[in-house]
Amino acid sequence: MFGISPIGWVHTLGSLPAIPLAIYMFARHGRIVPRSTAGTVYFASMLIGATTVFLVAHKPVSYGIGAVTILLLLAGYGVGRISSFGRAAIYLETIFLSLTAFLLMVPTVTETLRRVPDGHPFVTDLNSPLLLGSQASLLVMLVVGLTAQILRLRRQGRLAAFASPNQISAQ
């Protein structure tokens, strides 16, 4: 079905949970929260998808996306554990993990449009206006989303600076 190999199904089904988890965390927390249950499952799902891409990919760009995704994922989950980054850690964590969601969605949208409906896909050419428009929309969402996330983090930082110690411990 859809011309997907068995390892392709492992890749697809392994990475699939990351999409609703990312949407949930963006909606609930305004960002991907690595130290949460959803964040832990997101990490595992993204790692499955990013590592198995090396087994299913047919184009060199796919290997690059997989490698960059793994690096950003590890950096995003690791930067919060390094105390020398201070307040910048939460900004870096947010940027890195938002980029992983973007790098998940670009090939997801591309492959979906190139395979669905089965036998008569929406897109047969990589230069299709529908595909290019979809990818451009994802880029716009990344830029707008990252801007909103950074502004929200700055606002939270300012509010925390004016909060009393009792208010901070209550949060």
Side-chain angles (χ1 to χ4, degrees), residues 31-109:
R31 64 190 198 92
I32 295 173
V33 181
R35 285 163 294 286
S36 68
T37 303
T40 303
V41 177
Y42 177 84
F43 178 82
S45 182
M46 286 295 293
L47 200 56
I48 290 168
T51 54
T52 57
V53 76
F54 297 101
L55 302 172
V56 298
H58 300 292
K59 297 190 183 330
V61 70
S62 300
Y63 303 130
I65 290 172
V68 170
T69 299
I70 291 169
L71 290 173
L72 288 170
L73 193 62
L74 295 174
Y77 277 78
V79 72
R81 301 182 190 282
I82 302 171
S83 61
S84 62
F85 283 109
R87 180 80 181 141
I90 196 163
Y91 289 94
L92 292 171
E93 179 180 276
T94 300
I95 292 166
F96 293 157
L97 295 178
S98 293
L99 286 169
T100 65
F102 172 74
L103 290 174
L104 168 66
M105 291 311 300
V106 169
T108 298
V109 167

Side-chain angles (χ1 to χ4, degrees), residues 8-34:
W9 280 110
V10 170
H11 166 75
T12 300
L13 297 175
S15 59
L16 191 60
I19 296 170
L21 288 168
I23 292 168
Y24 165 75
M25 288 186 282
F26 285 136
R28 173 126 173 128
H29 306 288
R31 64 190 198 92
I32 295 173
V33 181

Side-chain angles (χ1 to χ4, degrees), residues 81-151:
R81 301 182 190 282
I82 302 171
S83 61
S84 62
F85 283 109
R87 180 80 181 141
I90 196 163
Y91 289 94
L92 292 171
E93 179 180 276
T94 300
I95 292 166
F96 293 157
L97 295 178
S98 293
L99 286 169
T100 65
F102 172 74
L103 290 174
L104 168 66
M105 291 311 300
V106 169
T108 298
V109 167
T110 301
E111 287 301 308
T112 300
L113 290 175
R114 293 183 68 213
R115 293 178 187 268
V116 174
D118 195 17
H120 301 287
F122 291 116
V123 172
T124 56
D125 179 15
L126 290 176
N127 293 319
S128 163
L130 176 61
L131 179 59
L132 295 176
S134 298
Q135 292 171 339
S137 297
L138 289 171
L139 181 60
V140 168
M141 287 191 301
L142 173 69
V143 171
V144 170
L146 273 176
T147 302
Q149 289 173 317
I150 290 169
L151 292 174

